[in-house]
């Protein structure tokens, strides 16, 4: 990309909950000479956000653009090297911006946890982005950077150690954090889309639905996102129980897409799953069973209610509204730790740790999204030469890993 753009980064959705957190992060993390713009549909709200950020943001430009105004999005993309967007649900509002960035050769980072959106973006805009050199990078928050970079760094270590290809690999998530209306609204958008077109359900259920070429994927049998088992079944050193991780169905698809985008370098027998720790107490089996059953019941109930207008109205009344999220105290007291247990064809075992402070979906996500935008803007000489609809690992790899370590996150791999 020629360096003749007006901005280095344009933050689209800067007046939203996570948008404001990301703007606050960029205020301190971006280079002092970085050219940053705040973008959204209301000039008054953008002006207010910039004022609240203080004098360091006084020089940041404001750009008015609505997610339904293709001409405005095209103009925004043409002015900046990178667009960072928090405007979701992406399935409802995101594709026009992807179109604009793919056409303009503009790099892009989002927070989507919506496989239906990514599949549509791949089918519609991947080839155009490859042609223009745009890196369109999905899932640059807690969905799915810790998962994606953990496996990528295990792979990198196994190559350095010459221990063969990856085989059975399992991530165990532990966290303390809240859920926002925006996250819930993304789930609803997918449920409503499937209610309108049942054929889309396969995108959620198929492990390789985001693959660049399903025919090239390893034939390793069933890979379920449901879990209820003793943790020792994953690694003998572990105690307690694990259960279904609500984000596994999305994260695992991103990790498998990374493998495909990188040429299936993780291996022809690579099997990947994610689970959530239910603890070690005497009640852990019951906790694990409740978590697993609760996720299934919630998805089933949500899907059923999304099919009828009365059900949608009920969901509107009882669920948190978009634009809401945890309090500042709750955001700062949150944390997450992701442990990935991996085996290789030579019999070697690795444990990767990816951990951070702050509510994972908000405080930590603002860090991950902000650093993704900065990496796309300033690290292009350190990144893989790939373009198109990409994943964090395939697009930014070691460059993003280094940035997140410098930002205070723990990302390490040890041989077990």
């Amino acid at each position: 990309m020629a360096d003749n753009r007006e901005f280095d980064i344009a933050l689209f959705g800067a007046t939203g909950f996570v948008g404001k957190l990301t703007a606050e992060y960029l205020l301190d993390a971006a280079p002092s000479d970085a050219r940053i713009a705040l973008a959204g549909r209301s000039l008054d709200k953008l002006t207010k956000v910039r004022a609240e950020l203080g004098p360091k943001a006084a020089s940041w430009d404001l750009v008015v653009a609505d997610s339904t105004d293709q001409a405005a999005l095209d103009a925004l993309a043409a002015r900046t090297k990178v667009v960072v967007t928090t405007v979701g649900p992406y399935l409802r509002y995101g594709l026009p911006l992807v179109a604009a960035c793919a056409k303009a050769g503009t790099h892009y980072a989002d927070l989507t946890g919506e496989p239906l959106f990514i599949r549509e973006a791949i089918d519609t805009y991947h080839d155009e982005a490859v042609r223009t050199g745009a890196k369109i990078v999905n899932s640059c928050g807690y969905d799915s950077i810790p998962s994606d970079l953990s496996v990528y760094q295990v792979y990198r270590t196994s190559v350095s150690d010459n221990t063969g290809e990856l085989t059975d690999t399992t991530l165990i998530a532990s966290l303390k954090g809240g859920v926002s209306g925006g996250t819930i609204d993304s789930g609803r958008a997918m449920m409503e889309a499937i209610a309108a077109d049942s054929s889309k359900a396969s995108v959620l259920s198929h492990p390789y639905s985001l693959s660049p070429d399903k025919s090239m994927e390893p034939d390793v049998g069933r890979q379920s996102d449901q879990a209820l088992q003793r943790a020792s079944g994953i690694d003998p050193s572990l105690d307690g129980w694990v259960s279904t991780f609500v984000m596994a169905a999305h994260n695992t698809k991103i990790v498998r897409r990374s493998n495909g985008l990188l040429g299936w370098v993780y291996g022809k027998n690579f099997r990947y799953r994610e689970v959530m720790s239910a603890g070690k107490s005497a009640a852990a089996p019951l906790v694990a069973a409740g978590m697993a059953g609760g996720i299934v019941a919630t998805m089933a109930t949500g899907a059923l209610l999304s099919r009828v207008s009365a059900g949608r109205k009920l969901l509107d009344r009882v669920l948190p509204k978009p634009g809401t999220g945890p309090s500042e105290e709750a955001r700062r007291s949150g944390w997450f730790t992701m442990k990935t247990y991996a085996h290789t064809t030579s019999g070697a075992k690795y444990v990767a740790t990816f951990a951070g402070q702050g509510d994972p979906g908000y405080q930590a996500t603002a860090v991950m999204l902000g650093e993704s935008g900065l990496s796309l803007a300033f690290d292009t000489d350190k990144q893989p030469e790939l373009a198109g609809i990409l994943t964090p690992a395939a697009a930014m790899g070691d460059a993003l890993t280094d940035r997140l370590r410098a930002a205070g996150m723990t990302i390490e791999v040890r041989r077990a």
Side-chain angles (χ1 to χ4, degrees):
M1 181 193 305
D3 191 15
N4 58 359
R5 302 291 175 99
E6 189 176 347
F7 312 126
D8 295 307
I9 297 173
L11 176 59
F12 185 55
T15 63
F17 192 85
V18 180
K20 291 178 185 177
L21 294 178
T22 305
E24 290 171 3
Y25 181 76
L26 289 172
L27 195 66
D28 294 321
S32 58
D33 59 349
R35 300 164 300 166
I36 297 176
L38 303 178
R41 61 185 178 182
S42 168
L43 181 59
D44 288 344
K45 290 182 179 180
L46 289 170
T47 302
K48 181 180 178 182
V49 168
R50 184 174 64 180
E52 290 171 348
L53 291 171
K56 289 177 68 174
S59 64
W60 291 6
D61 279 65
L62 305 179
V63 180
V64 177
D66 189 282
S67 59
T68 62
D69 186 343
Q70 190 66 61
L73 296 177
D74 289 345
L76 171 64
R79 297 174 69 184
T80 185
K81 293 168 64 177
V82 178
V83 173
V84 170
T85 175
T86 64
V87 179
Y90 295 90
L91 190 59
R92 290 185 191 142
Y93 306 121
L95 284 168
L97 183 57
V98 172
C101 290
K103 178 182 177 181
T106 300
H107 302 326
Y108 161 109
D110 69 27
L111 292 175
T112 189
E114 305 165 43
L116 294 181
F117 165 74
I118 297 176
R119 186 68 256 173
E120 191 165 350
I122 294 167
D123 293 341
T124 311
Y125 300 114
H126 177 76
D127 291 344
E128 175 76 351
V130 169
R131 185 186 68 79
T132 63
K135 292 177 182 283
I136 308 293
V137 192
N138 304 122
S139 304
C140 292
Y142 186 58
D143 280 339
S144 301
I145 280 178
S147 307
D148 206 26
L149 289 186
S150 289
V151 176
Y152 177 77
Q153 290 303 332
V154 169
Y155 153 70
R156 295 278 284 157
T157 305
S158 71
V159 170
S160 179
D161 293 348
N162 194 28
T163 51
E165 297 178 337
L166 303 186
T167 56
D168 287 343
T169 302
T170 302
L171 179 148
I172 302 178
S174 303
L175 66 137
K176 176 187 176 184
V179 178
S180 84
T183 300
I184 291 172
D185 212 29
S186 290
R188 286 187 59 189
M190 288 194 294
M191 291 178 190
E192 289 170 6
I194 292 170
D197 182 357
S198 60
S199 67
K200 293 182 177 180
S202 64
V203 176
L204 299 187
S205 61
H206 197 291
Y208 298 114
S209 61
L210 299 184
S211 172
D213 185 348
K214 290 183 184 179
S215 69
M216 294 292 291
E217 293 290 356
D219 184 10
V220 293
R222 186 169 181 264
Q223 297 180 84
S224 175
D225 294 316
Q226 305 301 314
L228 177 58
Q229 68 176 97
R230 290 184 181 275
S232 59
I234 296 169
D235 190 272
S237 67
L238 299 176
D239 296 324
W241 286 73
V242 298
S243 185
T244 302
F245 181 35
V246 68
M247 293 161 54
H250 181 73
N251 292 340
T252 55
K253 293 177 178 62
I254 293 293
V255 170
R256 295 183 191 115
R257 178 166 176 77
S258 290
N259 188 28
L261 289 168
L262 294 170
W264 293 274
V265 293
Y266 297 168
K268 60 181 179 295
N269 294 306
F270 175 64
R271 291 175 56 87
Y272 182 68
R273 66 193 292 242
E274 295 188 355
V275 298
M276 185 169 183
S277 173
K280 305 176 184 178
S281 70
L286 294 177
V287 172
M291 290 164 58
I295 289 172
V296 172
T298 299
M299 292 298 291
T301 301
L304 181 63
L305 290 175
S306 296
R307 292 178 181 275
V308 294
S309 60
R312 291 192 291 272
K313 290 178 181 177
L314 175 61
L315 293 174
D316 287 338
R317 287 198 298 269
V318 302
L319 294 177
K321 299 296 185 289
T324 65
S327 67
E328 182 177 359
E329 180 181 353
R331 295 197 307 270
R332 295 192 181 280
S333 66
W335 54 269
F336 71 93
T337 299
M338 317 287 266
K339 293 276 190 179
T340 302
Y341 296 81
H343 300 76
T344 74
T345 50
S346 71
K349 292 168 55 178
Y350 293 93
V351 181
T353 302
F354 195 125
Q357 288 298 124
D359 182 291
Y362 302 93
Q363 203 75 24
T365 280
V367 175
M368 289 184 264
L369 181 62
E371 291 294 350
S372 295
L374 292 169
S375 187
L376 289 170
F378 300 112
D379 297 341
T380 52
D381 59 330
K382 304 175 185 176
Q383 296 169 355
E385 293 185 3
L386 292 174
I389 310 299
L390 304 177
T391 60
M396 295 174 279
D398 292 332
L400 181 57
T401 302
D402 290 344
R403 279 188 169 275
L404 293 174
R405 284 173 175 154
M409 293 188 176
T410 297
I411 308 173
E412 59 187 26
V413 180
R414 66 175 176 86
R415 191 164 174 177

